[in-house]
């Protein structure tokens, strides 16, 4: 990666993460609830057999109300286990908080001894976390490349939707050839198709 691009990404990542952290808890909860209501209305998610989600971490938008609602609808929800040494994500079927453990960076993730591995061929949709997004499918994560590697290795492309606060949306996310574009983005303001 070119050093200028790396510096631009790092500056953007730091700025957005600081601003996101500054959102008061009560407001974060209200904005998260609004975003979850838009997720619940998306046809691509309503019709999905299996949805890979993520456990919110730190100041991320809280998608757990959507996760609970999807499970109540009878859908299979997966959460990823981060294997840092192998630089990859392994999804497991989410059966409730009792199957989680605190993992990398303090993120709650599946405990392989209490969880069942997901069947990748069933995956219809992925809720993708990140730091910054644009409205053309661009996404900048935390810098590890875990999601891009995971998505590139799937047997078929699922519906990919970013989930974030509208303050995380920028004019243009710096992109590299290996970055996988999203199909859309959900914020507290609604759904924007890429």
């Amino acid at each position: 990666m070119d050093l200028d691009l790396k510096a631009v990404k790092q500056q953007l990542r730091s700025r957005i993460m600081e601003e996101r952290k500054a959102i008061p808890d009560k407001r974060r909860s209200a904005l998260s609830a609004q975003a979850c209501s838009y997720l619940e209305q998306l046809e691509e998610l309503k019709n999905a057999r299996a949805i890979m989600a993520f456990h919110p971490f730190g100041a991320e938008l809280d998608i757990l109300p959507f996760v609970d609602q999807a499970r109540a609808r009878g859908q299979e929800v997966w959460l990823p286990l981060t294997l840092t040494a192998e630089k990859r994500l392994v999804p497991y079927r989410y059966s409730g908080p009792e199957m989680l453990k605190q993992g990398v960076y303090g993120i709650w993730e599946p405990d392989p001894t209490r969880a069942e591995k997901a069947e990748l061929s069933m995956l219809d949709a992925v809720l993708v976390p990140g730091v910054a997004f644009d409205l053309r499918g661009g996404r900048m994560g935390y810098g590890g490349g875990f999601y891009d590697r995971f998505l590139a290795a799937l047997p078929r492309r699922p519906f990919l939707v970013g989930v974030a606060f509208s303050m995380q949306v920028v004019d243009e996310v710096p992109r590299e050839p290996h970055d996988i574009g999203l199909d859309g983005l959900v914020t507290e303001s609604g759904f924007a198709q890429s």
Side-chain angles (χ1 to χ4, degrees):
M1 182 191 334
D2 142 343
L3 285 174
D4 289 346
L5 182 60
K6 191 172 184 164
V8 166
K9 286 175 99 167
Q10 196 48 54
Q11 282 179 328
L12 179 60
R13 191 175 281 122
S14 296
R15 179 177 65 81
I16 298 280
M17 287 174 72
E18 281 303 309
E19 289 174 17
R20 186 177 67 180
K21 206 162 57 177
I23 300 171
D25 289 347
K26 198 171 177 181
R27 178 131 177 84
R28 182 187 325 280
S29 293
L31 297 175
S32 294
Q34 281 177 269
C36 284
S37 73
Y38 287 114
L39 285 171
E40 288 164 15
Q41 294 167 34
L42 265 182
E43 285 304 314
E44 293 88 346
L45 296 180
K46 279 185 190 173
N47 299 328
R49 291 170 300 173
I51 302 167
M52 183 160 124
F54 58 91
H55 199 286
F57 167 69
E60 286 179 338
L61 190 142
D62 182 3
I63 62 165
L64 294 180
F66 169 78
V67 166
D68 293 340
Q69 201 264 349
R71 289 183 64 226
R73 253 191 323 222
Q75 293 172 294
E76 202 170 283
V77 176
W78 305 351
L79 293 181
L81 173 67
T82 305
L83 301 177
T84 43
E86 298 168 38
K87 290 192 177 269
R88 66 188 189 104
L89 299 176
V90 179
Y92 285 83
R93 293 174 68 180
Y94 178 63
S95 57
E98 66 286 342
M99 55 82 72
L100 299 174
K101 66 176 180 66
Q102 254 186 324
V104 184
Y105 315 113
I107 299 170
W108 288 97
E109 58 183 22
D111 178 344
T113 64
R114 291 183 276 182
E116 183 185 337
K117 251 188 192 162
E119 176 47 58
L120 289 179
S121 64
M122 284 185 62
L123 185 59
D124 291 325
V126 181
L127 305 186
V128 189
V131 176
F133 299 83
D134 64 35
L135 298 178
R136 291 185 292 280
R139 168 195 168 267
M140 185 176 72
Y142 294 90
F146 288 91
Y147 273 86
D148 288 315
R149 273 191 294 281
F150 172 75
L151 297 171
L154 290 173
R156 66 182 172 85
R157 182 186 165 101
F159 175 69
L160 304 177
V161 63
V163 185
F165 297 110
S166 56
M167 55 73 54
Q168 294 175 250
V169 179
V170 297
D171 288 340
E172 189 175 0
V173 167
R175 289 173 90 166
E176 296 176 74
H178 65 265
D179 291 338
I180 293 179
L182 304 177
D183 298 308
L185 176 67
V186 167
T187 68
E188 74 278 2
S189 304
F191 172 67
Q193 194 163 359
S194 301

